[in-house]
Amino acid sequence: MIIQTPTTFFLVKGSSEGFSLLNAFDGALLASGVGDTNLVKMSSILPPGCKELNPPPVPMPQGALVPVAYASLCSDVPGEIISAAVAIGIPKDTKRAGLIMEYSARAEEKVVVEQVKKMVEKGMEMRNREIKEIMAISASYRVINIGAAFAGVVLWD
Amino acid sequence: MIIQTPTTFFLVKGSSEGFSLLNAFDGALLASGVGDTNLVKMSSILPPGCKELNPPPVPMPQGALVPVAYASLCSDVPGEIISAAVAIGIPKDTKRAGLIMEYSARAEEKVVVEQVKKMVEKGMEMRNREIKEIMAISASYRVINIGAAFAGVVLWD
Amino acid sequence: MIIQTPTTFFLVKGSSEGFSLLNAFDGALLASGVGDTNLVKMSSILPPGCKELNPPPVPMPQGALVPVAYASLCSDVPGEIISAAVAIGIPKDTKRAGLIMEYSARAEEKVVVEQVKKMVEKGMEMRNREIKEIMAISASYRVINIGAAFAGVVLWD
């Protein structure tokens, strides 16, 4: 079976300074609790009936291949504010899929969260799918020298 | 078994207007019939003997992790024409892999399709592999405010 | 079981000229021995106890879905030197994960390799994890018309 469908999810976020842009990203993953896994990026649907894992699996299995929808931003502009956010539109109808949206910008956290929630609303509208609830998570960071912000939805077994 | 090999494939395409660049991309996925799945992007080989699924699985399992090779382009330049295309070089020798190529540009559909087919020809030449047939699919879109075009090869069990 | 953990790895690298940027990338994959597989890019951890496969599986199963951490760079600037490198920090404690870093630049191979090794050192420092050994592989290429360089760590069953 190649085609598989996750049954649980959890939200993560973090930010970090780093030696390089990739080190900053790695640091943001560590701060999020997923820094020792192998993230596989995917486009961004919450399977029907997928439940939140709360608390998340800690520690996560090191080196495991983990499907994730995420937003991130790295910057090497000292003083710059960077924000990353993801939001999930949970549908009223539990037999339908939810929608995950990602957004990041050189902007305040509040702006980025509002935008990503709006994106979920519009995407659910496009599906004619009523929203029960929007969940969101975000990270914001003021860069010292080189920094990164990360927010993601991890899908899980 | 982590390493797995798909046995069937199908071609999809679509385009859409959207509230944001990501919403437009999401709309193009919906128009393609894969908007409620979790696409995992991969580099782009058709396994030997992989057969076309015709018709495609409709509806697809919501939220499933689906490997796909795709081209896409988003634009927020009103009036701009954007095109995305994928092509598959099917080899004469059914024991050899086929090659998938992706191309997108701010150009007419015809131009993009010709280019992606040429890319398949050159890639099969590089493999010294004779082509039985080239399959292609493409999408083109004239942007109103924010739009996206998408074309992909979905690999399947 | 969606969440899986690879048990072996191997290092690959290659470079190529090509008809287009994507053909050059494809050529670099072919030169690396992974050109007929479906690479799925991931962020970049070596699972605890993951062993080097030496020699690598040749030929690899055509069209298989293969998780890989990689650096690559394509260029259409004739005469330009492009280099790509990956490095792995192998931890002293075999129960902990190793770290893979990727780096590419329009620069000499030596510069890129030094940078990627430094990135591994800093990333392992961030984890308070002592390094037993750093492994690295790199590719460098002087572009004729359109070229690509590629270096990667393939994870395997």
Side-chain angles (χ1 to χ4, degrees):
Chain A
M1 256 312 267
I2 289 171
I3 311 301
Q4 297 179 302
T5 306
T7 56
T8 63
F9 74 94
F10 54 96
L11 299 169
V12 293
K13 57 126 187 176
S15 59
S16 178
E17 194 71 11
F19 163 73
S20 70
L21 294 169
L22 186 55
N23 283 94
F25 177 70
D26 179 50
L29 296 184
L30 282 172
S32 303
V34 296
D36 275 332
T37 64
N38 281 311
L39 301 181
V40 178
K41 192 166 190 170
M42 41 156 237
S43 80
S44 3
I45 293 297
L46 191 75
C50 196
K51 300 281 178 218
E52 190 178 11
L53 253 191
N54 198 344
V58 174
M60 293 178 65
Q62 295 176 81
L65 295 162
V66 175
V68 63
Y70 70 81
S72 75
L73 196 58
C74 301
S75 166
D76 54 7
V77 180
E80 191 167 57
I81 289 182
I82 51 176
S83 302
V86 290
I88 314 176
I90 313 279
K92 282 197 180 165
D93 182 346
T94 57
K95 290 188 187 110
R96 307 308 297 274
L99 176 65
I100 305 169
M101 282 277 166
E102 310 94 30
Y103 186 65
S104 62
R106 288 161 179 78
E108 296 288 342
E109 190 162 11
K110 195 185 151 187
V111 174
V112 169
V113 172
E114 273 173 21
Q115 172 70 3
V116 80
K117 285 184 175 175
K118 197 95 180 171
M119 289 164 66
V120 162
E121 284 170 16
K122 296 290 184 182
M124 291 292 271
E125 252 176 59
M126 217 182 228
R127 288 167 169 76
N128 291 315
R129 207 167 290 169
E130 275 189 275
I131 295 174
K132 180 187 157 199
E133 174 194 358
I134 294 182
M135 300 175 69
I137 195 166
S138 55
S140 196
Y141 187 70
R142 183 180 291 274
V143 178
I144 303 170
N145 289 298
I146 302 178
F150 171 87
V153 181
V154 178
L155 295 189
W156 202 252
D157 272 325
Chain B
M1 256 312 266
I2 289 171
I3 311 299
Q4 296 178 303
T5 306
T7 55
T8 63
F9 74 94
F10 54 95
L11 300 169
V12 293
K13 58 128 185 174
S15 59
S16 179
E17 194 71 12
F19 164 73
S20 70
L21 294 169
L22 185 56
N23 283 94
F25 177 70
D26 178 51
L29 297 184
L30 282 172
S32 303
V34 296
D36 274 333
T37 64
N38 281 311
L39 301 181
V40 178
K41 193 166 189 171
M42 43 156 235
S43 80
S44 9
I45 293 298
L46 190 75
C50 197
K51 300 281 179 217
E52 191 179 9
L53 253 191
N54 198 344
V58 174
M60 293 179 64
Q62 295 177 82
L65 295 163
V66 175
V68 64
Y70 70 82
S72 76
L73 195 59
C74 300
S75 166
D76 55 7
V77 180
E80 191 166 57
I81 289 183
I82 50 176
S83 302
V86 289
I88 314 176
I90 313 279
K92 282 196 181 167
D93 181 347
T94 57
K95 290 188 187 112
R96 307 307 298 274
L99 176 65
I100 305 169
M101 282 277 166
E102 309 94 32
Y103 186 64
S104 62
R106 289 161 178 78
E108 297 288 343
E109 190 162 11
K110 194 185 151 187
V111 174
V112 169
V113 172
E114 273 172 22
Q115 172 69 4
V116 81
K117 285 183 174 175
K118 196 95 179 172
M119 289 163 66
V120 162
E121 283 170 17
K122 297 291 185 181
M124 290 292 271
E125 253 176 60
M126 215 181 228
R127 288 167 168 77
N128 291 316
R129 206 167 292 168
E130 275 188 275
I131 295 173
K132 180 187 157 202
E133 175 194 358
I134 295 183
M135 299 175 70
I137 196 166
S138 55
S140 196
Y141 187 69
R142 183 181 292 274
V143 177
I144 302 170
N145 290 299
I146 301 177
F150 170 88
V153 180
V154 178
L155 296 188
W156 203 251
D157 273 325
Chain C
M1 255 311 266
I2 288 171
I3 311 300
Q4 297 178 303
T5 306
T7 55
T8 63
F9 74 95
F10 54 96
L11 300 169
V12 293
K13 57 127 187 176
S15 59
S16 178
E17 194 71 11
F19 164 73
S20 70
L21 294 168
L22 185 56
N23 283 94
F25 178 69
D26 179 50
L29 296 184
L30 282 172
S32 303
V34 296
D36 274 333
T37 64
N38 281 312
L39 301 181
V40 178
K41 192 165 190 171
M42 43 156 235
S43 80
S44 8
I45 293 297
L46 191 75
C50 196
K51 300 282 179 215
E52 191 179 9
L53 252 191
N54 198 345
V58 175
M60 293 178 64
Q62 295 176 81
L65 295 164
V66 175
V68 64
Y70 70 81
S72 76
L73 196 58
C74 301
S75 166
D76 55 6
V77 180
E80 191 167 58
I81 289 182
I82 51 176
S83 302
V86 288
I88 314 176
I90 313 279
K92 282 198 181 167
D93 181 346
T94 57
K95 288 187 189 113
R96 307 307 297 271
L99 176 64
I100 304 169
M101 282 278 166
E102 310 94 32
Y103 186 64
S104 62
R106 289 161 178 78
E108 297 288 344
E109 190 162 9
K110 195 185 151 188
V111 173
V112 170
V113 171
E114 274 173 20
Q115 172 70 4
V116 80
K117 285 184 176 176
K118 196 94 180 174
M119 289 163 66
V120 163
E121 284 171 16
K122 297 290 183 181
M124 291 292 270
E125 253 176 59
M126 215 181 230
R127 288 167 169 76
N128 291 315
R129 206 167 291 168
E130 275 189 276
I131 295 174
K132 179 186 158 201
E133 173 194 0
I134 295 183
M135 299 176 72
I137 194 166
S138 56
S140 196
Y141 187 68
R142 183 181 291 274
V143 178
I144 302 171
N145 290 299
I146 302 178
F150 171 88
V153 180
V154 178
L155 296 189
W156 204 252
D157 272 325

Short mmCIF file of all heavy atoms in Angstrom, two decimals, chain C residues 5-33:
data_model
loop_
_atom_site.label_atom_id
_atom_site.label_comp_id
_atom_site.label_asym_id
_atom_site.label_seq_id
_atom_site.Cartn_x
_atom_site.Cartn_y
_atom_site.Cartn_z
N THR C 5 11.06 4.46 9.59
CA THR C 5 12.41 4.92 9.86
C THR C 5 13.43 4.11 9.06
O THR C 5 13.52 2.89 9.23
CB THR C 5 12.72 4.83 11.36
OG1 THR C 5 11.69 5.54 12.08
CG2 THR C 5 14.06 5.45 11.69
N PRO C 6 14.17 4.77 8.18
CA PRO C 6 15.17 4.07 7.37
C PRO C 6 16.29 3.47 8.23
O PRO C 6 16.60 4.00 9.30
CB PRO C 6 15.72 5.17 6.46
CG PRO C 6 14.64 6.22 6.43
CD PRO C 6 14.04 6.18 7.79
N THR C 7 16.91 2.42 7.73
CA THR C 7 17.95 1.73 8.51
C THR C 7 19.33 1.80 7.86
O THR C 7 20.32 1.49 8.52
CB THR C 7 17.58 0.24 8.69
OG1 THR C 7 17.36 -0.33 7.39
CG2 THR C 7 16.31 0.10 9.51
N THR C 8 19.39 2.16 6.58
CA THR C 8 20.70 2.31 5.92
C THR C 8 20.71 3.59 5.08
O THR C 8 19.67 4.21 4.85
CB THR C 8 21.02 1.11 4.98
OG1 THR C 8 20.04 1.07 3.94
CG2 THR C 8 21.00 -0.21 5.74
N PHE C 9 21.90 3.98 4.65
CA PHE C 9 22.03 5.17 3.79
C PHE C 9 23.22 5.00 2.87
O PHE C 9 24.09 4.15 3.10
CB PHE C 9 22.21 6.44 4.64
CG PHE C 9 23.58 6.55 5.26
CD1 PHE C 9 24.60 7.28 4.64
CD2 PHE C 9 23.87 5.92 6.46
CE1 PHE C 9 25.87 7.38 5.20
CE2 PHE C 9 25.13 6.00 7.04
CZ PHE C 9 26.13 6.73 6.41
N PHE C 10 23.25 5.83 1.82
CA PHE C 10 24.47 5.95 1.02
C PHE C 10 24.56 7.33 0.40
O PHE C 10 23.56 8.05 0.30
CB PHE C 10 24.58 4.84 -0.04
CG PHE C 10 23.38 4.71 -0.94
CD1 PHE C 10 23.36 5.33 -2.18
CD2 PHE C 10 22.27 3.96 -0.55
CE1 PHE C 10 22.27 5.20 -3.03
CE2 PHE C 10 21.17 3.83 -1.39
CZ PHE C 10 21.16 4.45 -2.62
N LEU C 11 25.78 7.71 0.04
CA LEU C 11 26.06 9.05 -0.48
C LEU C 11 26.19 9.01 -2.00
O LEU C 11 26.79 8.07 -2.54
CB LEU C 11 27.37 9.57 0.12
CG LEU C 11 27.39 9.70 1.65
CD1 LEU C 11 28.81 9.97 2.14
CD2 LEU C 11 26.48 10.84 2.07
N VAL C 12 25.63 10.01 -2.66
CA VAL C 12 25.72 10.08 -4.12
C VAL C 12 26.03 11.50 -4.58
O VAL C 12 25.73 12.46 -3.88
CB VAL C 12 24.39 9.63 -4.79
CG1 VAL C 12 24.13 8.15 -4.55
CG2 VAL C 12 23.21 10.45 -4.28
N LYS C 13 26.61 11.61 -5.76
CA LYS C 13 26.89 12.94 -6.32
C LYS C 13 27.09 12.84 -7.82
O LYS C 13 27.46 11.77 -8.34
CB LYS C 13 28.13 13.53 -5.69
CG LYS C 13 29.34 12.63 -5.87
CD LYS C 13 30.50 13.37 -6.49
CE LYS C 13 31.63 12.40 -6.80
NZ LYS C 13 32.72 13.07 -7.47
N GLY C 14 26.81 13.94 -8.50
CA GLY C 14 27.01 13.97 -9.94
C GLY C 14 26.76 15.35 -10.49
O GLY C 14 26.20 16.22 -9.82
N SER C 15 27.19 15.54 -11.74
CA SER C 15 26.92 16.82 -12.40
C SER C 15 26.71 16.56 -13.87
O SER C 15 27.05 15.49 -14.38
CB SER C 15 28.09 17.79 -12.19
OG SER C 15 29.27 17.22 -12.69
N SER C 16 26.11 17.53 -14.56
CA SER C 16 25.76 17.30 -15.95
C SER C 16 25.46 18.61 -16.67
O SER C 16 25.03 19.58 -16.06
CB SER C 16 24.53 16.39 -16.03
OG SER C 16 24.14 16.17 -17.36
N GLU C 17 25.67 18.57 -17.96
CA GLU C 17 25.14 19.57 -18.88
C GLU C 17 23.73 19.10 -19.28
O GLU C 17 23.41 17.92 -19.14
CB GLU C 17 26.07 19.60 -20.11
CG GLU C 17 25.91 20.77 -21.04
CD GLU C 17 26.40 22.10 -20.48
OE1 GLU C 17 27.07 22.13 -19.41
OE2 GLU C 17 26.07 23.13 -21.09
N GLY C 18 22.89 20.02 -19.77
CA GLY C 18 21.55 19.59 -20.19
C GLY C 18 20.88 20.57 -21.13
O GLY C 18 21.27 21.73 -21.22
N PHE C 19 19.83 20.08 -21.79
CA PHE C 19 19.07 20.89 -22.75
C PHE C 19 18.33 22.04 -22.06
O PHE C 19 18.18 23.13 -22.60
CB PHE C 19 18.09 19.96 -23.48
CG PHE C 19 16.99 20.66 -24.22
CD1 PHE C 19 17.25 21.36 -25.40
CD2 PHE C 19 15.69 20.64 -23.74
CE1 PHE C 19 16.22 22.01 -26.08
CE2 PHE C 19 14.66 21.29 -24.42
CZ PHE C 19 14.93 21.97 -25.59
N SER C 20 17.83 21.79 -20.85
CA SER C 20 17.16 22.81 -20.04
C SER C 20 17.68 22.68 -18.62
O SER C 20 18.43 21.75 -18.31
CB SER C 20 15.64 22.59 -20.05
OG SER C 20 15.32 21.42 -19.30
N LEU C 21 17.28 23.58 -17.73
CA LEU C 21 17.71 23.48 -16.34
C LEU C 21 17.27 22.14 -15.73
O LEU C 21 18.05 21.47 -15.05
CB LEU C 21 17.13 24.65 -15.52
CG LEU C 21 17.67 26.04 -15.91
CD1 LEU C 21 16.85 27.15 -15.25
CD2 LEU C 21 19.14 26.20 -15.52
N LEU C 22 16.04 21.73 -16.03
CA LEU C 22 15.54 20.46 -15.47
C LEU C 22 16.25 19.27 -16.10
O LEU C 22 16.53 18.27 -15.42
CB LEU C 22 14.02 20.37 -15.65
CG LEU C 22 13.34 19.16 -15.00
CD1 LEU C 22 13.64 19.06 -13.51
CD2 LEU C 22 11.83 19.20 -15.22
N ASN C 23 16.57 19.37 -17.41
CA ASN C 23 17.33 18.28 -18.03
C ASN C 23 18.73 18.16 -17.42
O ASN C 23 19.26 17.07 -17.25
CB ASN C 23 17.45 18.48 -19.54
CG ASN C 23 16.17 18.14 -20.29
OD1 ASN C 23 15.35 19.02 -20.56
ND2 ASN C 23 15.98 16.87 -20.62
N ALA C 24 19.33 19.30 -17.10
CA ALA C 24 20.65 19.28 -16.47
C ALA C 24 20.56 18.62 -15.09
O ALA C 24 21.40 17.79 -14.72
CB ALA C 24 21.21 20.69 -16.37
N PHE C 25 19.52 18.99 -14.34
CA PHE C 25 19.30 18.37 -13.02
C PHE C 25 19.10 16.86 -13.19
O PHE C 25 19.71 16.05 -12.46
CB PHE C 25 18.06 19.00 -12.36
CG PHE C 25 17.69 18.41 -11.03
CD1 PHE C 25 18.49 18.60 -9.92
CD2 PHE C 25 16.53 17.65 -10.89
CE1 PHE C 25 18.14 18.06 -8.68
CE2 PHE C 25 16.18 17.10 -9.66
CZ PHE C 25 16.99 17.30 -8.55
N ASP C 26 18.28 16.48 -14.16
CA ASP C 26 18.04 15.06 -14.45
C ASP C 26 19.35 14.36 -14.81
O ASP C 26 19.62 13.24 -14.36
CB ASP C 26 17.02 14.96 -15.60
CG ASP C 26 16.72 13.53 -16.01
OD1 ASP C 26 16.41 12.71 -15.13
OD2 ASP C 26 16.79 13.23 -17.22
N GLY C 27 20.19 15.03 -15.60
CA GLY C 27 21.48 14.46 -15.97
C GLY C 27 22.38 14.28 -14.75
O GLY C 27 23.11 13.28 -14.64
N ALA C 28 22.33 15.23 -13.84
CA ALA C 28 23.14 15.12 -12.61
C ALA C 28 22.65 13.96 -11.75
O ALA C 28 23.45 13.25 -11.12
CB ALA C 28 23.09 16.43 -11.83
N LEU C 29 21.32 13.73 -11.73
CA LEU C 29 20.78 12.57 -11.01
C LEU C 29 21.25 11.27 -11.66
O LEU C 29 21.65 10.32 -10.97
CB LEU C 29 19.25 12.61 -10.99
CG LEU C 29 18.59 13.78 -10.25
CD1 LEU C 29 17.07 13.61 -10.24
CD2 LEU C 29 19.11 13.90 -8.83
N LEU C 30 21.21 11.23 -13.00
CA LEU C 30 21.69 10.03 -13.72
C LEU C 30 23.16 9.77 -13.40
O LEU C 30 23.56 8.63 -13.12
CB LEU C 30 21.52 10.22 -15.23
CG LEU C 30 20.12 10.03 -15.80
CD1 LEU C 30 20.09 10.45 -17.27
CD2 LEU C 30 19.65 8.59 -15.66
N ALA C 31 23.96 10.83 -13.42
CA ALA C 31 25.39 10.69 -13.12
C ALA C 31 25.61 10.22 -11.69
O ALA C 31 26.63 9.59 -11.37
CB ALA C 31 26.10 12.03 -13.36
N SER C 32 24.63 10.50 -10.82
CA SER C 32 24.71 10.09 -9.41
C SER C 32 24.23 8.66 -9.18
O SER C 32 24.36 8.14 -8.07
CB SER C 32 23.84 11.02 -8.55
OG SER C 32 24.22 12.36 -8.70
N GLY C 33 23.60 8.06 -10.21
CA GLY C 33 23.08 6.70 -10.05
C GLY C 33 21.65 6.65 -9.53
O GLY C 33 21.11 5.57 -9.28
#
